[in-house]
């Protein structure tokens, strides 16, 4: 873990991975996404802030689930929305 990690990131012992490589919320409304993020509190996979609907950051705000992991192949990092903290694992 990098020194930039916040307490939310440091509390994660096992990183949750995407069950399916799709944004659950975009699939429901027939929208497209750019990148995928997996919520580390509930395991839902949603789209990133470069995607039109920004479902991951919306989920973080509405649910209070702070940390997501990248669900992109080859990427191993965590991001905390409230702290704007980033860590590779
Ligand atoms: Zn945090
Ligand atoms: Zn989405
Ligand atoms: Zn969540």
């Amino acid at each position: 873990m990098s020194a930039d990690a916040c307490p939310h990131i440091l509390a994660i012992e096992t990183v949750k991975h995407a069950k399916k490589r799709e944004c659950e919320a975009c699939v429901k409304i027939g929208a497209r996404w750019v990148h995928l993020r997996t919520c580390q509190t509930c395991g839902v996979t949603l789209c990133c802030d470069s995607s039109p609907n920004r479902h991951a950051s919306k989920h973080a705000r509405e649910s209070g689930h702070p940390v997501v992991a990248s669900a992109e192949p080859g990427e191993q990092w965590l991001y905390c929305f409230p702290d704007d903290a980033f860590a590779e694992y």
Side-chain angles (χ1 to χ4, degrees):
M1 287 291 176
S2 81
D4 298 333
C6 70
H8 303 112
I9 287 174
L10 293 172
I12 291 169
E13 288 172 6
T14 311
V15 175
K16 289 183 172 69
H17 295 287
K19 294 180 210 82
K20 273 185 168 183
R21 257 182 224 296
E22 57 186 33
C23 171
E24 287 184 15
C26 281
V27 165
K28 279 184 197 143
I29 59 173
R32 289 168 177 272
W33 58 85
V34 180
H35 298 298
L36 294 170
R37 309 289 179 243
T38 301
C39 176
Q40 294 302 295
T41 307
C42 66
V44 68
T45 296
L46 296 166
C47 56
C48 72
D49 278 358
S50 304
S51 307
N53 292 290
R54 303 181 178 191
H55 285 122
S57 59
K58 206 174 286 176
H59 172 76
R61 271 199 310 279
E62 288 172 358
S63 65
H65 297 168
V67 181
V68 293
S70 174
E72 296 301 312
E75 293 188 4
Q76 294 198 315
W77 52 259
L78 299 163
Y79 178 75
C80 176
F81 284 102
D83 291 311
D84 190 25
F86 176 88
E88 293 188 270
Y89 63 87

